[in-house]
Amino acid sequence: MDSLLQQLERFSEVLAVSRTTHVSTWDAATVRRALQWARYLRHVHRRFGRHARIRKALERRLQNQWKQEGGSGPAPALGLTNFQALGHCDLLLSLRLLANRALGDAAFHYLLQELFPGPGVPGAEEGTLQGSLALLARRRAAVHMLRSSAYRENPVLQEDSLMKTQAELLLERLQEVGEAHAEGPGRFLSRLWEHLPHNNFLKVTAAALLLPPSSPRHQEEESELGNPRRAGERGRELLHWLLGKSEVIVAFCRNLPAGLLTSVAGRHPEVSRVYLGLLTDWGRHLHYDLQKGIWIGTESQDVPWEELYGRFQSLCQAPPPLKDEVLTTLKSCKAQDGDFEVPGLSIWTDLLLALESGA
Amino acid sequence: MAQDSVGLSSDYQFWIQKLSVWKQASTLETQQDTCLYLPQFQEFLRQMYEALKEMDSNTVIERFPTIGQLLAKTCRNPFILAYDESQKILIWCLCCLINKDPQNSGESQLNSWTRGLLSRILAAFRSDIKEVDLFTQGLGYAPADYYPGLLKNMVLSLVSELRENHLNGFNTQSRMAPERVRSLSRVCVPLVTLPDFEPLVEALLTYHGQEPQEVLWPEFFGAVNEAFLLKKICLPVSAVLCLWLRHLPSLEKAVLHLFEKLVSSERNCLRRIECFMKDSLLPEAACHPAIFRVVDEMFRYALLETEGAPEVLAAMQVFTRCFVEALEKENQQPKFALKTYFPYASPSLVMVLLQRPKDIPQGLWHRPLKRISEMLKEIVEDETQGSSGGPFENWFLLAHFGGWADIAAEQLLTSVGDAEPPEALLWLLAFSSSPGDGPQQRAQTMVEVKAVLSHLGRLLRSPTLSAGNLLAAAEESREGDPRPPACQQLTRRLLLNFLLWAPGGRAMARDVITLMARTDEIMHEIVGFLDQTLYRWDHLGVDAPGSRKLARELLAELRGQA
């Protein structure tokens, strides 16, 4: 067992080096050893996939390494983050070496011979590296072709394939980080927030919160691996982090499209409470311009009336519990404001009137 | 070899030109043309690789100075990269260009350039959306990690769009425009064999737009059919049915494919033929009358072309059996009237023929036989009756259910010598063996058969029963003239039945068969008879252990000899 863990550690180092310029010192023999290692670990993955004790030990070791790797970038640079990844570690190594221009000609030549033995080599078809690499190239072409012809971005954001895929990846990673770090994935998420473009990050977060409780892709793996955690639970941690970071939740409620927020609020009552709180807050910042006869803000960051109305309108189209909650909130605000029925005195009166006539 | 390389060089020029025209296959015309040539181009790449792998990279450049252009253009055509094994062969070709130990800057340059292309195909993928790249990298994922998931989501999204289309067809808002569906079907041509695409292929096949014309691209059907026949994809029967209903050439190809398989398989083995039939899904698909009619028509041509070859006849009977079985399984309440399957036949005759002998007690088999015979006789001999076709049409109908004629022969033999053989059975046998005969010839045949039967009956009771006697009884005609071939075949069949059924016959079966099998042709006929008989008995559950054992032994022995 110890030797197995050592092997794992050494291979992780090799994998980390494989995408640096250090590979310029590699010769054919180094490439051969690295590939042999990868094959060995893939064999370990196959062999011990259902062996809970060994799996756990290997996984703990991987997570320790990850932790040690520490806080440079947001991402686990290692590549080997869970037991599953051992199943295709040879593919990962091959791709890194193929793309690494620092690898010398002789070593590269040897790599190609190993990866692409050509036709007629016994067992050279599916399940081998040659097969997996060709399949990857084929899938790559397929994605390209679909995107450039028949595929359209789905206007319902959470159903868009690119969004959905990113959301699935995010949750998958969160689970691993959660297991590796005692404090949960909060720090990891904050680091992502610092490093990645905010708009896309928020959209992916919303899509992740809307994924069905157990997306089929994970269900399959989890039932096979006896892992009880579901997408829903991983989503909890994401939600927890989101609600705890006021800067993020404000950006979330302010920047995402109304329809998407309504869906998230409909699924997660915690979000709907915060969202309604923010909306009423934003509403209070507006005042009535007597000359123009409209509600306007005093500062540039104030939410315009049209947007406020649009968000409430979208919420009122949601199925009952949310819709009722929204109307109750609006009515209680109106009551606090003096319960006027005449337009121009309270924004809540005007919003309710507009919603009624618009419905 | 020299010949080959000349061929390769001229092909080379052709493909260089094609690739230049195709560019990145981004227009309708170039996509269409690329799809048309995909298999041929893959074959060319394969030959190219076979040539390249024998050379070092310097020789390659000497022999094919423009190889770089050829391969680089290929790398930029997604249709080629997506097709079958083309991407793999292309990678092999590129590997041949890598110099292990470059001696000068030119060689290093070539290495670096080739590595760029390899990366392009394999490693350095960038999706066209920067944010997505940043995000996945930020999470620490390589393209290889999320490609399968992304493709799966894209396919599922398209599938649900197609389904929605299907459901709210008139709701123009959510509709996928016909051009988009068409373009999707075109993109799928090189991809139908990629397992990730199976749900999409199925959704396209079962998708019907509101348009009167076919929206899907014909080459899409062709590609799916080809992949299905070569077992490169699995599709549910319903999708295959849609494919064949929507694209006649695919159906015809599927039937021809089945015929080819039957021809190249072992002769006279109905069990195997039945497996091929069921495996082809044709009997199940034939529950739809339009498909049945096409398949049936092709059997008719095959019979006409081979002048009623017994193998074709037997295959058609197996097909019909599988078809009837599928029909019963599919619908307790028939969706289509029988008339739609057999439009030229008398419906009442079809009804009687469709009865399964298995469902009738063995002792009563003579009743349906009698009815069949009488009905056929009435139709065939009444020349004024034009609606139910001529003799050939009716014989063709009977041939589907050939088991009845075989039972008739058996009935005559099992009761040999007991009483006068029933006229109806004699007529049925004479008609089934030679439908083109006029009434006079047929009467003649009936007389011959009757004579053979009574001769066999007499021999059965005589102490001088011998192989020679038996053969003489079957072969010598009553008046000494040689019988017509069809009649000879019929009497051979009677004798073979006699050998299996009569206790005295069984004892000398081997001797008689040795005498009888004078030519390979007759030998095959005997093997075919035994195989068909055993197959039929198995399905009817005929309980005749002695006959069965003998037939099995004989079949094994004769197959060994043949």
Side-chain angles (χ1 to χ4, degrees):
Chain A
M1 189 69 195
D2 270 348
S3 97
L4 182 60
L5 291 174
Q6 263 169 21
Q7 299 265 18
L8 182 66
E9 214 154 288
R10 302 268 292 284
F11 179 73
S12 299
E13 286 162 26
V14 169
L15 200 56
V17 169
S18 68
R19 59 176 186 187
T20 66
T21 51
H22 291 304
V23 295
S24 61
T25 61
W26 286 22
D27 60 4
T30 328
V31 172
R32 191 185 64 233
R33 271 200 307 277
L35 286 173
Q36 272 171 353
W37 238 327
R39 268 192 285 264
Y40 168 72
L41 287 175
R42 209 174 73 143
H43 170 75
V44 167
H45 171 261
R46 253 203 319 269
R47 174 89 173 67
F48 296 115
R50 297 183 181 280
H51 205 297
R53 201 172 57 84
I54 297 183
R55 255 190 66 146
K56 220 57 257 131
L58 288 170
E59 218 142 52
R60 203 167 304 131
R61 182 61 63 104
L62 286 171
Q63 285 159 359
N64 282 342
Q65 274 175 352
W66 191 4
K67 223 184 291 182
Q68 281 158 21
E69 214 179 315
S72 54
L78 189 65
L80 281 185
T81 49
N82 57 19
F83 186 76
Q84 276 313 84
L86 286 185
H88 62 262
C89 61
D90 51 351
L91 187 69
L92 203 60
L93 174 72
S94 312
L95 286 171
R96 287 185 179 184
L97 289 178
L98 279 171
N100 194 338
R101 290 301 186 99
L103 192 66
D105 285 303
F108 190 78
H109 186 260
Y110 179 80
L111 176 70
L112 288 184
Q113 279 182 331
E114 281 288 296
L115 296 184
F116 302 106
V121 177
E125 282 325 301
E126 296 329 302
T128 63
L129 270 180
Q130 176 165 278
S132 326
L133 286 165
L135 181 62
L136 181 68
R138 210 175 168 203
R139 282 178 164 155
R140 178 191 176 283
V143 168
H144 178 76
M145 283 162 76
L146 284 183
R147 280 192 62 80
S148 63
S149 66
Y151 184 78
R152 298 281 182 280
E153 216 168 288
N154 197 321
V156 184
L157 205 81
Q158 65 270 28
E159 281 167 23
D160 181 67
S161 312
L162 271 174
M163 273 303 148
K164 228 167 125 180
T165 309
Q166 293 180 84
E168 284 168 358
L169 292 171
L170 176 65
L171 290 188
E172 203 171 285
R173 196 55 104 211
L174 284 185
Q175 158 153 11
E176 289 157 12
V177 182
E179 281 167 7
H181 301 274
E183 71 270 33
R187 231 179 72 201
F188 177 71
L189 281 165
S190 299
R191 241 176 14 212
L192 284 179
W193 173 249
E194 282 157 30
H195 284 81
L196 296 176
H198 286 177
N199 196 33
N200 187 56
F201 182 83
L202 292 173
K203 283 184 189 165
V204 176
T205 304
L209 291 176
L210 287 171
L211 278 187
S214 184
S215 70
R217 182 179 162 191
H218 298 115
Q219 200 170 35
E220 218 170 85
E221 282 168 16
E222 278 168 357
S223 62
E224 192 180 301
L225 301 172
N227 191 334
R229 296 172 69 106
R230 294 270 175 267
E233 283 177 54
R234 292 190 293 252
R236 294 258 119 227
E237 283 162 352
L238 179 61
L239 188 64
H240 182 73
W241 172 81
L242 179 68
L243 293 169
K245 283 275 218 182
S246 62
E247 172 207 356
V248 187
I249 186 72
V250 170
F252 187 85
C253 295
R254 182 75 170 82
N255 298 338
L256 291 182
L260 185 60
L261 281 165
T262 302
S263 305
V264 179
R267 178 80 77 81
H268 301 282
E270 303 95 316
V271 174
S272 84
R273 275 195 294 279
V274 176
Y275 186 34
L276 277 175
L278 284 168
L279 285 174
T280 46
D281 202 33
W282 294 336
R284 290 199 182 98
H285 278 85
L286 302 188
H287 67 268
Y288 195 70
D289 183 322
L290 283 171
Q291 284 177 328
K292 294 187 188 142
I294 49 169
W295 292 87
I296 54 166
T298 39
E299 286 169 55
S300 61
Q301 74 264 28
D302 282 337
V303 181
W305 158 267
E306 291 77 17
E307 197 187 320
L308 206 58
Y309 169 69
R311 287 180 184 259
F312 274 113
Q313 191 187 32
S314 165
L315 284 169
C316 286
Q317 282 159 2
L322 181 58
K323 182 186 173 178
D324 301 340
E325 195 188 338
V326 173
L327 288 174
T328 316
T329 308
L330 281 173
K331 280 174 191 156
S332 83
C333 286
K334 181 185 156 209
Q336 281 171 22
D337 244 4
D339 227 350
F340 294 103
E341 296 295 343
V342 198
L345 294 184
S346 161
I347 187 163
W348 314 117
T349 310
D350 288 12
L351 273 172
L352 280 165
L353 284 175
L355 288 171
E356 265 166 43
S357 64
Chain B
M1 185 68 198
Q3 192 77 41
D4 281 359
S5 62
V6 171
L8 193 57
S9 296
S10 69
D11 282 355
Y12 187 93
Q13 290 313 320
F14 173 77
W15 291 116
I16 277 261
Q17 273 179 353
K18 273 283 175 207
L19 287 164
S20 307
V21 175
W22 291 340
K23 298 192 188 87
Q24 299 186 29
S26 47
T27 66
L28 173 72
E29 289 75 23
T30 54
Q31 289 180 359
Q32 226 158 352
D33 201 48
T34 311
C35 285
L36 213 57
Y37 284 98
L38 284 171
Q40 268 168 280
F41 185 71
Q42 175 161 307
E43 192 43 43
F44 164 72
L45 272 181
R46 211 183 278 281
Q47 286 172 10
M48 210 52 217
Y49 167 68
E50 290 300 325
L52 294 183
K53 74 172 183 190
E54 305 295 337
M55 309 174 195
D56 64 40
S57 66
N58 288 325
T59 327
V60 170
I61 299 298
E62 234 166 76
R63 272 286 318 275
F64 304 102
T66 51
I67 184 88
Q69 287 171 37
L70 179 97
L71 297 179
K73 283 178 181 170
T74 309
C75 288
R76 280 174 176 76
N77 189 321
F79 276 69
I80 297 175
L81 292 182
Y83 178 66
D84 200 34
E85 295 192 299
S86 293
Q87 69 299 116
K88 189 156 62 184
I89 308 171
L90 178 63
I91 293 171
W92 292 341
C93 288
L94 285 168
C95 288
C96 297
L97 295 187
I98 291 285
N99 201 318
K100 188 175 170 183
D101 185 18
Q103 299 296 326
N104 52 48
S105 68
E107 288 176 9
S108 296
Q109 188 84 33
L110 176 63
N111 266 7
S112 154
W113 180 86
T114 311
R115 283 170 75 162
L117 284 186
L118 278 168
S119 278
R120 199 190 151 80
I121 307 178
L122 285 166
F125 170 79
R126 291 281 164 270
S127 77
D128 27 8
I129 302 173
K130 224 177 91 211
E131 286 175 337
V132 178
D133 277 339
L134 280 173
F135 190 79
T136 47
Q137 273 174 29
L139 288 177
Y141 285 106
D145 295 323
Y146 63 83
Y147 254 80
L150 175 59
L151 188 58
K152 188 174 167 187
N153 282 338
M154 287 174 94
V155 165
L156 288 181
S157 151
L158 286 164
V159 168
S160 64
E161 255 189 283
L162 281 168
R163 297 251 158 86
E164 265 169 47
N165 238 21
H166 197 62
L167 292 176
N168 29 349
F170 287 109
N171 179 356
T172 44
Q173 266 226 310
S174 64
R175 279 191 66 188
M176 216 180 192
E179 309 83 67
R180 233 182 106 203
V181 178
R182 197 170 171 77
S183 137
L184 184 59
S185 73
R186 192 164 47 235
V187 166
C188 284
V189 169
L191 288 165
V192 288
T193 53
L194 188 62
D196 311 67
F197 269 66
E198 262 172 34
L200 184 56
V201 170
E202 192 191 330
L204 279 169
L205 287 176
T206 47
Y207 163 85
H208 290 278
Q210 307 298 319
E211 298 72 28
Q213 316 90 343
E214 179 60 65
V215 262
L216 301 184
W217 212 46
E219 278 76 0
F220 168 73
F221 292 122
V224 176
N225 194 51
E226 182 84 17
F228 172 73
L229 295 181
L230 298 178
K231 299 204 173 301
K232 288 185 174 180
I233 48 171
C234 295
L235 288 171
V237 187
S238 56
V240 179
L241 184 65
C242 288
L243 165 68
W244 288 339
L245 283 174
R246 290 172 83 163
H247 195 238
L248 183 63
S250 284
L251 173 58
E252 287 173 345
K253 217 166 163 188
V255 181
L256 287 177
H257 183 82
L258 174 65
F259 284 0
E260 274 162 24
K261 248 171 135 176
L262 298 183
V263 168
S264 60
S265 81
E266 189 189 341
R267 258 176 110 170
N268 298 320
C269 185
L270 291 186
R271 284 243 160 264
R272 185 158 311 162
I273 289 182
E274 185 184 311
C275 290
F276 285 146
M277 292 281 180
K278 289 190 168 155
D279 196 44
S280 74
L281 293 190
L282 280 164
E284 266 175 275
C287 292
H288 195 291
I291 290 189
F292 178 85
R293 297 274 298 280
V294 172
V295 181
D296 204 42
E297 208 49 20
M298 291 180 76
F299 267 117
R300 178 202 304 262
Y301 281 116
L303 272 178
L304 286 171
E305 287 294 315
T306 58
E307 288 175 1
E311 281 93 345
V312 181
L313 212 55
M316 186 173 77
Q317 284 165 16
V318 176
F319 174 81
T320 312
R321 223 189 59 73
C322 297
F323 156 72
V324 172
E325 203 175 82
L327 205 60
E328 280 165 0
K329 211 190 301 175
E330 182 167 279
N331 37 353
Q332 300 304 324
Q333 297 213 313
K335 271 188 246 165
F336 300 99
L338 279 175
K339 181 90 187 152
T340 52
Y341 298 99
F342 302 98
Y344 305 116
S346 136
S348 45
L349 177 58
V350 175
M351 285 300 288
V352 188
L353 285 171
L354 261 176
Q355 281 182 291
R356 291 193 311 183
K358 203 180 172 181
D359 301 336
I360 304 165
Q362 211 165 324
L364 301 177
W365 280 352
H366 61 274
R367 285 193 195 156
L369 281 171
K370 190 157 174 278
R371 277 211 68 197
I372 292 167
S373 174
E374 284 166 359
M375 287 167 93
L376 272 170
K377 190 174 178 193
E378 194 182 327
I379 297 166
V380 171
E381 292 186 351
D382 176 7
E383 296 192 351
T384 57
Q385 197 171 0
S387 64
S388 294
F392 177 74
E393 278 311 325
N394 284 285
W395 173 82
F396 184 57
L397 177 67
L398 176 67
H400 285 84
F401 308 92
W404 284 117
D406 295 329
I407 293 177
E410 256 171 30
Q411 293 264 308
L412 285 173
L413 263 304
T414 42
S415 58
V416 80
D418 293 350
E420 272 290 282
E423 283 286 309
L425 297 194
L426 291 173
W427 188 91
L428 188 63
L429 272 188
F431 174 70
S432 91
S433 84
S434 186
D437 286 354
Q440 248 180 337
Q441 278 165 295
R442 190 162 297 129
Q444 181 65 30
T445 306
M446 287 164 69
V447 172
E448 296 281 354
V449 169
K450 217 159 151 181
V452 170
L453 288 172
S454 77
H455 196 164
L456 287 174
R458 280 200 307 280
L459 282 175
L460 195 58
R461 285 185 291 267
S462 93
T464 59
L465 182 64
S466 75
N469 282 345
L470 279 174
L471 192 65
E475 291 190 342
E476 277 165 18
S477 77
R478 213 165 38 99
E479 302 189 341
D481 302 330
R483 294 185 183 123
C487 186
Q488 284 176 22
Q489 208 180 346
L490 178 59
T491 52
R492 275 199 294 273
R493 212 164 99 197
L494 291 171
L495 177 56
L496 287 169
N497 267 312
F498 178 82
L499 295 176
L500 292 182
W501 285 109
R506 284 207 283 272
M508 45 197 62
R510 277 184 185 77
D511 295 341
V512 177
I513 286 175
T514 312
L515 289 175
M516 201 172 167
R518 278 179 296 247
T519 63
D520 284 350
E521 209 41 48
I522 297 181
M523 178 67 128
H524 273 301
E525 190 184 304
I526 298 170
V527 174
F529 168 83
L530 289 169
D531 181 47
Q532 284 170 39
T533 305
L534 276 168
Y535 177 81
R536 184 166 47 85
W537 287 351
D538 283 346
H539 281 289
L540 294 180
V542 169
D543 183 30
S547 307
R548 213 184 251 271
K549 183 165 171 285
L550 175 66
R552 248 199 308 271
E553 284 170 6
L554 285 172
L555 184 60
E557 285 164 26
L558 295 179
R559 271 201 186 128
Q561 286 170 33

